[in-house]
Amino acid sequence: MEIDTLVAPINDNELPDLETQANKRRRKKSIVWEHFTVETVAAGCSRAYCKQCKKSFAYITGSKLAGTSHLKRHITLGICPVSRQKNLQSPHSKTVSSGNIAEPPKKRARATPDSAHISFDQDRCNHEITKMIVFHDYPLHMVEHQGFIDFVRTLQPQFNLISSDAVQGDCVSMYLREKQNLFNLINGIPGRVNLTVDFWTSNQTASYVFLRGHFIDGDWNLHRPILNVAMVPFPDSNDFFNQSILTCLADWNLEGRLFTLALDQCFSNETVMGNLRGLLSVKNPVTLNGQLLSRNCYARVLSRLALDVMWTMEETIHKVRDIVKYVKTLESHEEKFVELKQQLQVPSLKDLLIDDRTKWDTTYHMLVAACDLKEVFVFFDTSDPDFRMTVSMGEWKQVETVCVYLKFLFDAANILTAQPYPTANIFFPEVTKLQMELTHAAMSQDPFLRNLIKPLQEKFDQYWRESCLILAVAVAMDPRYKMNHVERTFSDVFGENAEPWIRIVEDGLRELFLEYFYQVLPCTASDVDEGNEGMIKTETSEEGSLDSSFFSVDGFPDFEVYISDFMNNQEIKSELDQYLEESEVPDEQEFDVLRWWRLNRLKYPTLSRMASDILSLPVSTLSADSVFDSDIREMDRYRSSLGSLTLEALICAKDWLQYESIPPKGFSDAPLKMEF
């Protein structure tokens, strides 16, 4: 049957009015209409009037229908004074529990087909309570709170109440089970593990060391779980700090499998770094001798720059905060502000908010919203004579300039909050873009902008020069960019001096590839140990951070010649060179670099193993929820009182549960080129 035959033509004159259509759609009349009438008060506006007290309520405004819930509450909750009085006088009226007005009988809840056959499972309930406590940071003793006990007994009288000690044991057991699963996963990965170190303080003298692993598994999924949480009783003691790292390596069987270690410069000095190199180089002689032992946390660098800007503009920001507080602290003030905004037809959709001083991004958002609404603030004293406008137009202009550059920092930091976590290849373009923006602003003809940004540019330029080489190595593992992008970027930044920097990255790639290539050569590990547990010796460069090289070798004189002969053979060196010489793949918006390497791992067996370790390199030591912190996190009093095992169990298990709730960065079905 043709579709057209099912549709009868409609004559405009036969169109029913809206009220007729509404009546046809209504299956039954709501009980509220026994108590209310609807009257039209203006074009497109109708209100509902209570038959008893004559009070009016919103019903239809334009195309919006308010519904009847608020009308039902007026009747059933005894809000209507006339109805309430009548019911008090009537001995036969059936009242609700509040003792007010008659309520229509409620329908019984319809049972689902399987609900009658679900049996009570105490163990499952205990498991879900454990997950709830871990996932939401509830205190262990909440299961002994009377409110919780009453709630559970109402839901399920058969439930046997449990003690806080039992819950604590369940939390530790869950942690140990999940830890074994994670250990098996890490033990089976083909590559190595990167480690980051973060610190928390407490209201006691002790501090806490968080060690997080970053690695790519055999299916090319990126993981970054918290591995250990260790209490350091004396924060200034290098021995306790070093021991916490060595304990983590031993717990997770990472000795000899560590690729990089990153910690922030706030918690490290040359003595700490020297001790770490000495400790770790015993088992990891290849990759922890220079650049890959990092002291640069990208998130903290960005936070420090943002806080420097806010400190420079502290007086003006304080004025903005005060006028925002004036509007937001009283509902009457905010209503006047919104009304004035509508009168002035200010198009901004942003809402004012009072910032949280512990999160610098909230201050940025407060300033942006206030700038968008500055016209309303200028005229607000006409609506509220008590309001005093303390921000001048010149200061508004300065705040707008500050917001432009805070946005650069915010956008850069916001990448670190993405879920799933981004791979290392994306950071070289982003970091370089920020460096060039700050450099350009530092040379501005505007004295305010130049004086504001120049100190930031100098600090960030130091970070960029220390980190750009290892980030360049990571972006070279992106088949969309390779070395061509590095060469263009260094030419833009360094001009005529770009060649030495480019050469350092190229040498670093080849030296790193040699180390991975050596692992598949037909010689045993004992042969190397007898030589000197070393690798390929490289010359020291005066340019950049890779001058100490990725690798070193002493006492094995024939090996370097052996490797050199192999690398001069076209068949052997072709895997790295072929990758670099082939054309870049198209830069698609949804390009998945891990999927590309997964599909091309057979073509590049050695290079793909190297890429998996490089792409999992961490640039930040912080978790996603700490990226915008204005200060070091502090362990709360309750958690500081817990035993070390319980504390580690709660924090690690929560991190692992959160990770399980985030879908992994899967491989889309979109076609992707597999190279041969």
Side-chain angles (χ1 to χ4, degrees), residues 8-26:
I10 298 177
N11 190 319
D12 291 342
N13 297 327
E14 296 177 358
L15 286 173
D17 57 31
L18 295 177
E19 184 176 352
T20 304
Q21 292 183 22
N23 290 336
K24 286 183 177 181
R25 286 195 302 267
R26 189 181 301 128

Side-chain angles (χ1 to χ4, degrees), residues 316-464:
T316 302
I317 292 175
H318 182 72
K319 291 180 180 180
V320 174
R321 184 180 293 113
D322 282 346
I323 63 175
V324 171
K325 282 183 178 180
Y326 182 87
V327 172
K328 294 293 292 183
T329 49
L330 283 179
E331 186 176 348
S332 60
H333 293 173
E334 189 166 13
E335 289 176 352
K336 291 179 181 179
F337 190 87
V338 172
E339 183 179 353
L340 180 59
K341 174 190 170 185
Q342 294 172 347
Q343 292 175 0
L344 296 172
Q345 296 183 347
V346 176
S348 175
L349 298 178
K350 291 184 171 59
D351 294 324
L352 290 177
L353 75 156
I354 303 173
D355 62 331
D356 176 359
R357 305 291 288 275
T358 67
K359 296 281 189 180
W360 67 263
D361 62 316
T362 64
T363 304
Y364 160 68
H365 289 304
M366 178 188 72
L367 296 177
V368 170
C371 282
D372 271 15
L373 297 167
K374 66 178 182 296
E375 184 181 354
V376 187
F377 281 112
V378 170
F379 292 96
F380 190 50
D381 56 356
T382 61
S383 299
D384 190 331
D386 295 329
F387 175 76
R388 293 181 63 249
M389 182 62 182
T390 57
V391 185
S392 67
M393 294 308 296
E395 288 172 324
W396 278 121
K397 184 177 180 180
Q398 291 179 347
V399 172
E400 289 175 341
T401 301
V402 166
C403 287
V404 170
Y405 290 90
L406 283 178
K407 185 178 189 308
F408 289 134
L409 300 177
F410 171 79
D411 290 344
N414 202 43
I415 296 173
L416 298 169
T417 67
Q419 298 292 350
Y421 193 77
T423 46
N425 57 298
I426 74 165
F427 288 101
F428 180 77
E430 297 296 329
V431 172
T432 303
K433 180 174 68 175
L434 179 57
Q435 194 268 351
M436 297 182 73
E437 291 284 358
L438 295 177
T439 300
H440 179 74
M443 297 185 293
S444 171
Q445 298 299 315
D446 180 356
F448 170 76
L449 179 60
R450 184 174 62 251
N451 294 333
L452 178 73
I453 301 299
K454 190 170 179 56
L456 274 64
Q457 186 271 333
E458 292 173 350
K459 293 179 181 179
F460 192 76
D461 187 65
Q462 179 182 356
Y463 166 78
W464 187 83

Side-chain angles (χ1 to χ4, degrees), residues 191-204:
R192 302 178 185 178
V193 175
N194 302 283
L195 201 63
T196 57
V197 184
D198 187 28
F199 285 80
W200 285 29
T201 61
S202 70
N203 56 1
Q204 305 168 350

Side-chain angles (χ1 to χ4, degrees), residues 40-278:
T40 301
V41 295
C45 180
S46 300
R47 297 185 66 82
Y49 289 83
C50 177
K51 294 180 180 179
Q52 302 293 333
C53 67
K54 307 304 180 183
K55 186 175 180 180
S56 69
F57 299 84
Y59 184 55
I60 297 177
T61 304
S63 60
K64 295 183 179 180
L65 182 66
T68 59
S69 297
H70 60 307
L71 308 181
K72 291 178 181 178
R73 288 194 295 271
H74 181 72
I75 298 299
T76 59
L77 297 182
I79 299 174
C80 177
V82 177
S83 296
R84 181 169 62 248
Q85 184 64 29
K86 288 182 178 180
N87 276 277
L88 289 175
Q89 296 172 357
S90 173
H92 304 291
S93 61
K94 181 180 179 180
T95 61
V96 294
S97 58
S98 59
N100 291 326
I101 198 165
E103 182 182 30
K106 296 182 178 179
K107 292 183 178 181
R108 293 183 58 186
R110 181 177 297 177
T112 58
D114 298 328
S115 60
H117 305 289
I118 297 177
S119 59
F120 172 68
D121 189 334
Q122 178 76 36
D123 292 337
R124 182 178 178 183
C125 291
N126 291 349
H127 176 73
E128 293 301 323
I129 287 177
T130 302
K131 283 179 60 178
M132 177 186 70
I133 288 176
V134 168
F135 202 86
H136 298 290
D137 295 329
Y138 295 143
L140 297 170
H141 53 271
M142 73 162 288
V143 295
E144 298 174 352
H145 292 174
Q146 189 60 47
F148 177 80
I149 293 173
D150 293 342
F151 174 69
V152 172
R153 281 176 172 166
T154 302
L155 289 179
Q156 178 50 262
Q158 298 181 49
F159 180 78
N160 294 321
L161 299 175
I162 53 179
S163 66
S164 59
D165 289 342
V167 171
Q168 179 180 355
D170 290 342
C171 290
V172 172
S173 297
M174 174 184 289
Y175 158 71
L176 294 175
R177 288 193 304 270
E178 295 299 323
K179 183 176 182 179
Q180 184 61 52
N181 294 335
L182 182 58
F183 180 86
N184 294 338
L185 174 64
I186 294 176
N187 205 42
I189 66 173
R192 302 178 185 178
V193 175
N194 302 283
L195 201 63
T196 57
V197 184
D198 187 28
F199 285 80
W200 285 29
T201 61
S202 70
N203 56 1
Q204 305 168 350
T205 57
S207 294
Y208 297 86
V209 179
F210 285 64
L211 296 112
R212 185 183 292 272
H214 303 249
F215 59 90
I216 290 173
D217 64 23
D219 292 326
W220 288 86
N221 295 310
L222 178 63
H223 303 263
R224 50 189 309 270
I226 295 176
L227 300 181
N228 286 74
V229 178
M231 186 178 73
V232 182
F234 306 104
D236 298 332
S237 173
N238 294 339
D239 292 338
F240 283 104
F241 172 68
N242 293 341
Q243 186 57 47
S244 65
I245 295 177
L246 294 178
T247 299
C248 177
L249 297 179
D251 284 352
W252 296 93
N253 193 28
L254 297 179
E255 295 163 327
R257 303 177 62 204
L258 193 60
F259 188 56
T260 67
L261 176 68
L263 63 160
D264 187 62
Q265 62 182 3
C266 290
F267 315 110
S268 61
N269 51 46
E270 292 304 323
T271 302
V272 171
M273 301 299 283
N275 291 340
L276 283 175
R277 286 190 182 96

